[in-house]
Amino acid sequence: MSGIEIVLTVAVAVLVVVVVVVVAAALKVVRRLSVAPVPVAPAADDPAFLAEKDRQEHSLASLRTAAEDATAAVDEARAAAAAARTEAAAAKAEASSARSEARRILDAARAEADSLLERAHRQAEQDAEQARAAARRAGEREVSQLTAVAKEQSQDAERRQRRLDERERLLAEEAERLAERDRRISGTEADLLEREATFTRRESEVAEAEERHREELERIAGLTADAARIEVVEMIEGQAKREAALLVRDIESDARSTAEQRARHIVVDAIQRVASEQTSESVVSVLHLPSDEMKGRIIGREGRNIRAFESTTGVNLIIDDTPEAVLLSCFDPVRREIGRLTLEKLVLDGRIHPHRIEEVFEQAKHEVERLCNRAAEDALVEVGITDLHPELMTLLGRLRYRTSYGQNVLKHLVETAHIAGIMASELRLDPALIKRCAFLHDIGKALTHEVEGSHALIGADVARKFGESDEVVHAIEAHHNEVPPQTIEAVLTQASDACSGGRPGARRESLEAYVKRLERIEEIAGGKSGVEKVFAMQAGREIRVMVRPDDVDDIGAAVLARDVAKQIEEELTYPGQIRVTVVRESRVTEIAR
């Protein structure tokens, strides 16, 4: 039974109960009225009787109305019950149709499920058949692969077996050869023993014969064996000395014929290696500016100021991206200094135009000349030379701005003169003449770019022109062996020049080249076999090589030192000389308890 039917049934039952209750109440009232005694009819004009009568009539009317209402309610309830029964019947019919539809859908679903299940069974059987076929094919492939691997392994085993058989055959042949060799060695040993006995016997016979021969020679010559040995040694020594002298003469001749050519090649290689770095360091000066705005004023409108400056001073002005700095480039150090001083005065003044550039250039030129003369006078006073030609003083003053490997040439001349004077005093020679030779030996460097030739020959010509003595001229032209030195003044000038230029710290080089040279020296020594540690000492003029004593013996240490020195000579360019020291140290430590 559905929910609607239950509600309708409950409603009908409630209405029936209400109607029954109302009817029962009405019947009870009617019975009370019928049973009650009939009172005596009062008077028609009695108010109480009239009121009671009206009240009873009203009660009766209300009862009738209630009965009618109850009857109407019963009728409505019956109608509602009939409608409910109709709706219930319709609901039952709808429910029956729904149940029949549900049965039909359920039957269709069951039929569809059966068809789907059947198709699923057929698909599963097909998939299983395909899986079995794939498994069968995979198994066949695996079997074929395993068969191939097994076949290959069997072939490999056969090859190994053949190799083992061949090796066994070779070992058997080798054992047979060794056995045959043992038999031959045994026969040879017996033969050797026999020969050894024969040789021993012959040696004793030869020794006896030599003794008799020596005694006979001593008797005939009248000399003992020791005296004859000494005479033979003296004869061989004299012959060896003569041959050594001939060899030395040939070597010296060959060296003289090839030394000049080889030296030229070495110098050319050295120039090729260091030309760019040394040139860039010696021809460029840097002038710092108060601000980058000054660069525009130096250039001028359409570049007229910088053109006027370069044409007036003869110095190239380089203005690049370097902040607050310009570069001045010129091979003439005096001209470069004049240009630097001119530009410095122009920057301080602030007025930069072509006419002002010419004025300041003349002022700077006179100022540099005055500084050069003052430097030359101070150098002459320091050395103690008074009688010098004014033109030579001018040339000496120009050397104030000349450097050689970072060493100021004028200071180098003063230092060389002092060293030469000390040497002359120690040798009890004339210090004044030798100091004069040493002081003027590089005078040609003031004219090297103006006159062709080496500075030694140029300096000799200049000194001869201005009345210097022949000793001084010869010392100047011979201090680099362009002319063979013939006097002691020339030799001392060479020695003092070498001492001044070769002492540690006299001549500097660029930090980058210096560091690269030290690294390369240590790399050359460290790359040798048996080397444990390498130390570059005394600014790269000495190198200490520590070797492992177990790997390098004394003879190997000597060979290692020679190899390192030779490789350094071939690969590097450096002033002076480099000493290579190989240290081989063995330490044995024991503890006393």
Side-chain angles (χ1 to χ4, degrees):
M1 183 180 293
S2 63
I4 297 174
E5 294 177 351
I6 295 172
V7 171
L8 292 175
T9 304
V10 172
V12 170
V14 171
L15 289 175
V16 170
V17 171
V18 171
V19 170
V20 169
V21 170
V22 171
V23 170
L27 293 176
K28 186 183 291 184
V29 172
V30 173
R31 189 180 298 115
R32 186 183 304 128
L33 291 176
S34 61
V35 173
V38 178
V40 178
D45 55 354
D46 188 2
F49 175 76
L50 292 175
E52 182 66 22
K53 183 180 180 180
D54 291 334
R55 185 179 61 80
Q56 291 178 358
E57 289 178 354
H58 283 301
S59 298
L60 185 60
S62 62
L63 289 173
R64 288 192 186 100
T65 302
E68 292 175 357
D69 291 336
T71 304
V74 170
D75 294 336
E76 289 178 359
R78 288 175 181 174
R85 282 193 296 272
T86 303
E87 290 178 0
K92 287 180 181 180
E94 186 177 355
S96 62
S97 63
R99 280 194 291 273
S100 62
E101 183 68 20
R103 290 192 192 94
R104 186 183 62 79
I105 293 173
L106 183 59
D107 294 338
R110 287 175 180 172
E112 184 69 20
D114 292 337
S115 63
L116 290 176
L117 183 60
E118 185 178 357
R119 286 197 297 271
H121 283 303
R122 288 197 298 270
Q123 185 66 30
E125 290 177 357
Q126 294 176 359
D127 293 341
E129 185 64 25
Q130 292 177 358
R132 284 193 294 272
R136 188 180 303 108
R137 289 193 296 270
E140 291 175 355
R141 287 196 299 270
E142 187 70 22
V143 169
S144 61
Q145 291 177 359
L146 292 175
T147 304
V149 171
K151 185 176 180 181
E152 184 178 356
Q153 290 179 354
S154 63
Q155 293 175 356
D156 190 10
E158 290 177 359
R159 288 195 297 270
R160 290 183 180 179
Q161 185 63 36
R162 286 196 297 270
R163 286 199 297 269
L164 290 175
D165 295 340
E166 182 67 20
R167 187 174 298 176
E168 289 178 358
R169 185 181 61 80
L170 293 176
L171 289 176
E173 293 178 356
E174 184 68 21
E176 186 177 354
R177 286 196 298 271
L178 290 176
E180 182 65 25
R181 186 181 297 175
D182 289 338
R183 289 193 295 271
R184 289 198 301 269
I185 289 173
S186 300
T188 305
E189 287 180 354
D191 191 10
L192 288 175
L193 291 175
E194 184 179 355
R195 290 185 180 183
E196 185 177 0
T198 304
F199 286 153
T200 304
R201 185 173 61 255
R202 288 184 180 180
E203 283 180 358
S204 61
E205 293 176 357
V206 169
E208 293 176 358
E210 286 180 353
E211 184 66 23
R212 290 193 301 270
H213 184 63
R214 186 179 61 80
E215 292 175 356
E216 185 66 20
L217 288 176
E218 289 179 356
R219 184 183 63 78
I220 294 173
L223 294 174
T224 63
D226 294 336
R229 187 181 299 107
I230 292 172
E231 185 175 353
V232 171
V233 169
E234 290 177 354
M235 181 180 64
I236 294 173
E237 183 178 358
Q239 184 178 359
K241 286 181 179 180
R242 286 193 299 273
E243 292 177 355
L246 293 174
L247 182 61
V248 168
R249 185 184 64 185
D250 294 338
I251 293 174
E252 289 179 351
S253 177
D254 187 23
R256 291 192 188 95
S257 63
T258 59
E260 185 175 358
Q261 183 178 2
R262 186 176 179 185
R264 287 176 181 171
H265 286 298
I266 293 173
V267 171
V268 169
D269 291 340
I271 291 173
Q272 182 181 6
R273 290 184 183 181
V274 302
S276 60
E277 297 178 1
Q278 185 62 32
T279 301
S280 63
E281 290 181 357
S282 60
V283 302
V284 175
S285 296
V286 180
L287 179 66
H288 295 281
L289 303 177
S291 64
D292 286 336
E293 298 178 357
M294 188 61 66
K295 292 183 179 180
R297 300 176 62 182
I298 293 173
I299 296 173
R301 182 179 300 173
E302 298 179 356
R304 66 171 187 171
N305 291 344
I306 189 171
R307 286 197 300 272
F309 180 85
E310 291 180 347
S311 62
T312 302
T313 61
V315 178
N316 293 328
L317 194 59
I318 302 173
I319 300 178
D320 54 10
D321 297 334
T322 305
E324 299 182 358
V326 294
L327 302 178
L328 295 93
S329 175
C330 182
F331 282 98
D332 188 345
V334 178
R335 191 189 306 166
R336 187 171 70 250
E337 179 62 21
I338 294 173
R340 189 194 66 81
L341 192 59
T342 301
L343 186 58
E344 184 178 2
K345 289 179 177 294
L346 290 171
V347 170
L348 291 177
D349 186 25
R351 295 177 295 168
I352 304 177
H353 52 82
H355 182 67
R356 180 62 179 167
I357 290 173
E358 294 177 358
E359 293 179 357
V360 175
F361 172 71
E362 294 297 330
Q363 297 176 7
K365 184 176 180 181
H366 291 304
E367 184 175 351
V368 170
E369 290 178 355
R370 185 172 65 256
L371 292 174
C372 291
N373 292 332
R374 179 64 181 273
E377 292 174 359
D378 293 341
L380 289 173
V381 171
E382 186 175 357
V383 175
I385 298 175
T386 56
D387 53 341
L388 194 67
H389 196 278
E391 292 294 333
L392 291 179
M393 287 185 60
T394 302
L395 294 177
L396 285 172
R398 295 175 67 178
L399 294 177
R400 178 177 185 267
Y401 299 104
R402 177 88 182 194
T403 59
S404 177
Y405 291 98
Q407 186 181 24
N408 187 272
V409 177
L410 186 58
K411 293 182 180 180
H412 166 63
L413 294 181
V414 173
E415 184 177 356
T416 304
H418 287 312
I419 295 173
I422 294 172
M423 290 181 179
S425 300
E426 292 293 332
L427 296 175
R428 297 180 182 180
L429 300 174
D430 183 11
L433 177 61
I434 296 178
K435 288 175 70 175
R436 194 181 189 92
C437 296
F439 185 70
L440 296 176
H441 78 279
D442 275 343
I443 190 68
K445 287 186 176 181
L447 297 171
T448 301
H449 66 285
E450 300 174 4
V451 182
E452 293 184 357
S454 67
H455 71 276
L457 298 179
I458 295 172
D461 293 339
V462 171
R464 188 182 295 109
K465 178 180 178 181
F466 293 112
E468 292 295 329
S469 62
D470 294 337
E471 291 83 359
V472 176
V473 172
H474 177 67
I476 293 173
E477 66 184 2
H479 79 277
H480 279 317
N481 290 322
E482 280 87 357
V483 176
Q486 302 293 333
T487 61
I488 191 170
E489 290 84 3
V491 175
L492 291 181
T493 300
Q494 279 188 340
S496 59
D497 181 27
C499 291
S500 176
R503 67 176 177 81
R507 295 182 177 181
R508 65 170 179 82
E509 53 189 335
S510 67
L511 178 61
E512 183 179 0
Y514 173 73
V515 172
K516 286 183 178 179
R517 191 179 75 225
L518 291 183
E519 291 178 351
R520 182 55 186 159
I521 290 174
E522 293 184 352
E523 183 180 352
I524 288 173
K528 302 298 181 181
S529 177
V531 175
E532 185 176 5
K533 296 179 182 178
V534 179
F535 301 99
M537 307 172 64
Q538 296 185 4
R541 297 182 180 273
E542 182 178 357
I543 179 172
R544 297 281 180 88
V545 183
M546 316 294 290
V547 299
R548 292 185 290 272
D550 297 336
D551 298 338
V552 181
D553 55 6
D554 293 339
I555 298 176
V559 173
L560 177 62
R562 184 172 63 252
D563 292 343
V564 172
K566 185 177 180 181
Q567 188 172 354
I568 290 174
E569 290 176 358
E570 293 176 352
E571 296 186 9
L572 300 179
T573 301
Y574 48 88
Q577 60 185 10
I578 297 176
R579 177 182 298 174
V580 180
T581 303
V582 177
V583 180
R584 179 178 179 270
E585 182 181 10
S586 298
R587 293 186 181 183
V588 179
T589 302
E590 190 64 39
I591 299 175
R593 295 182 179 86

